[in-house]
Amino acid sequence: MSAGLLVAVLLASALLEGSGWAGGVGDGNLRLSVTVNGRADSDVRPPEVRVGTWVVKRYRLLNVSEADLHRVRVLDPGAPAGSVRCPAVLPAAEEAECTARFRAVAGRHVHPVRAEGDVPALRTRLTATARAGYAGVAGALGLTEEVVVATPGTGGGGASAIVTYTVTNRGNLPLYTVRVEDPGLALAPGAPDCGGRGGTVAVLAPDTSAFCRTTVRLRPGTYRSAGRASGSDRATTLGTGGERVTAPVLTAGASAVFVVREAPVAPVPRTPAPGAPAAGSSAGAAGASAGAGAAPAPGAPGALARTDTGTGTGTGTGTDAAGRPAAPAAPGAGAAPGAVPPGAVPPGAVPPSSVSPGAVPPAPPPGLRRAAGVDDEGFLGRVRRRGREAAEFGVATTLLLLLIPAAVAAALLGSRRK
């Protein structure tokens, strides 16, 4: 009987253990709580952690069963994969802690967390869940700059350079009292104009930008601008142990290299010498130079007298030393400078040498005036005169053509009557 009672007790114990609650192994035997940077109610009030700083999550597991848990693990979507560390075994009626340490990222990260442990002898798995997370906060300051150099004016000297600084809040908290300066250009405090405020942006909301500009006068050369921006989001955050951390001063920098060119020198106006032709008289000067190359008319003032070699005859021809005919002598050849050669003055005209300086020469006869006018009438005058002469010649020719046939006809009629 005692042997049978023992077997019955063993069978009942095995059945109760397989049911999941006998022996204290079943649902609810594993419990989980999570703290984030020292805060236990992170599911309701997620702690604010500055972006880029450390987040420390502590997962407290309590095994209230009467069986050891193996392959203990924590599944947390709010932690990077592989960052959670747990003990391999959680003994029965004991507790253990899993931890995760990683850098905070911007935004709210509150997720359900799941803890698991296996009981190999019973082929069962115990689980527990909780919610936990944090809020990554920060105002992230960014700075860029652009330089535009004006075209240098004439007269030497440098030029103006317009430098534009663009400050941007890339974070998720407002930035306050953002100050812009440029030690590279040695700007005075408050020199950049930031929307009416000297070198300062009062409030810069998340995902917005502001512009600050300054104009500097620089001598020719190469320059390097070194913009600097600073500000604060005034947010107090929690450290890894739950301590309060004050907001740091946020900074950003940018630089640009630019060149200021040498200004062109203004041209000096040139004053023409007395008696020199004006700049616009190039055509007249060219014509004068062309005319200067032509030989003056025989007998004209300044004309060079021509001297022929050989002896001349009364006909104007001669022979040189070799017996060849010499070129005919030009009119007035061999005459003294300024002398009027024979035959150069028309009949009735007064030679220039016979008129004393300052005296008014007598008027030439009409025929000579007409000849002088013909010589000085030019090309167009000659064309008009030739046209008039052709018209007069045409009338005379017409009369002759009419009278000659009439005379011939009359002669023929007279000869027939005889």
Side-chain angles (χ1 to χ4, degrees), residues 163 165 180-192 213-216 225:
V163 188
Y165 307 91
V180 178
E181 55 187 357
D182 193 337
L185 298 180
L187 299 181
R213 292 183 177 87
T214 187
T215 302
V216 292
S225 172

Side-chain angles (χ1 to χ4, degrees), residues 156-169:
S160 297
I162 302 175
V163 188
T164 302
Y165 307 91
T166 304
V167 288
T168 304
N169 183 357

